[in-house]
Amino acid sequence: MTDVHLPLDSQRLLIEIARQALDHIVRGRPYHSAGTNDPYLEGADYGAFVTLFNHDELRGCIGTCTPLDSLRATVVEMIEAAATRDRRMKPVNVDELEHIHIDISVLSRLERTENPLSLFVGKHGIYLVRKHKRAVFLPQVATEQGWDIRTLLEQTCLKADLPKGAWRWPGTTVSTFTALTIAEGK
């Protein structure tokens, strides 16, 4: 499995694009993300999750493990979704903009694993699918929660509305990925 590599200049540009998109979207103005000459941002190899915080409060988190467009376009799409369509919370409003902090997790390609217990907490994220049910956890979640790999697998099953042990069942696909997290202002 390859780790995600984005040069620092590409990371900064991606955060800039995300901030501009967020500002336009929350203010109700159309945002048209023009292409860049940055090959890292114009490639379609990476998925992305965007997490928005107002101070330490989660204000939205949405992403995709299977991108259909460039990383730049995927991040813009996920910014819009996290700010306006995360079912768990109200859309971000204009009064919050100056307090919103953006984290972007750039994901490697998914790789199916036959031995999920061999994965490493904090390094590997989990994408689990069984029939029409699926769930994902970013690599940092297990570390933040203090989970071991078995607990991460069980919690991913529960998130997918499956029994804890469903990760072991035939017909359940467990894929893994790595992520590079880019935090705004860091």
Side-chain angles (χ1 to χ4, degrees), residues 33-48:
S33 174
T36 69
N37 61 358
D38 187 320
Y40 293 94
L41 301 188
E42 296 308 318
D45 290 347
Y46 298 131

Side-chain angles (χ1 to χ4, degrees), residues 15-63:
I15 285 287
E16 245 177 70
I17 291 167
R19 175 52 69 178
Q20 290 170 3
L22 178 65
D23 189 71
H24 279 74
I25 290 160
V26 170
R27 293 181 190 281
R29 298 185 300 210
Y31 181 75
H32 304 290
S33 174
T36 69
N37 61 358
D38 187 320
Y40 293 94
L41 301 188
E42 296 308 318
D45 290 347
Y46 298 131
F49 270 70
V50 170
T51 307
L52 305 176
F53 298 96
N54 183 338
H55 299 286
D56 289 332
E57 179 186 349
L58 179 66
R59 288 298 286 118
C61 181
I62 294 185

